Amino acid sequence: MCVKCWKQRMPDRGTTCLEKGAYLMNYVGCHQCQARASIGEKDQTKQEEENGDEVITFTHVCTECEHEIAAHTYQFSIEEEFQEYSMECNLCGHGEATVSILPNDPREQQLF
């Protein structure tokens, strides 16, 4: 993947986890053809486990010349009463999120 196409390696994105798309604020432009065109995706794979876990991987590419910009991984799983999301990509960054599947989040009840 190309370190010259993005500003910062794997920026902290907090709870943002992108299943598709790209973090354009971190995109400098294509180092190979100098274009600042949109970013495409290629070689997308989706693995689904019997327990509901899923992993999506793809490569960010320049839409003009197919130059490979960064590899992107998105993961989703269910752990007890929570949905777990994570993302790792040199362009889009690192993010993790946990969301309750219950109407009332049990973590909020513990605060009182």
Side-chain angles (χ1 to χ4, degrees), residues 29-83:
C30 179
H31 178 71
Q32 182 169 297
C33 73
Q34 311 308 314
R36 182 110 165 94
S38 62
I39 298 173
E41 300 169 3
K42 76 171 192 178
D43 301 330
Q44 183 173 357
T45 62
K46 183 176 184 178
Q47 298 173 336
E48 294 184 40
E49 303 292 326
E50 289 180 19
N51 62 0
D53 292 3
E54 91 181 16
V55 177
I56 297 172
T57 59
F58 59 87
T59 303
H60 292 291
V61 295
C62 173
T63 56
E64 297 293 316
C65 69
E66 293 286 315
H67 177 67
E68 294 185 356
I69 298 165
H72 188 105
T73 302
Y74 167 86
Q75 296 181 347
F76 167 80
S77 64
I78 297 177
E79 300 291 331
E80 297 178 12
E81 297 112 16
F82 298 97
Q83 295 176 334

Side-chain angles (χ1 to χ4, degrees), residues 13-25 41 44 54 56-58 60 72-76 85-89 91-97:
R13 298 296 306 281
T15 59
T16 300
C17 298
L18 303 174
E19 182 177 342
K20 58 183 179 177
Y23 181 43
L24 296 177
M25 296 294 294
E41 300 169 3
Q44 183 173 357
E54 91 181 16
I56 297 172
T57 59
F58 59 87
H60 292 291
H72 188 105
T73 302
Y74 167 86
Q75 296 181 347
F76 167 80
Y85 301 88
S86 68
M87 169 187 74
E88 286 194 0
C89 174
L91 174 67
C92 299
H94 173 75
E96 292 182 342

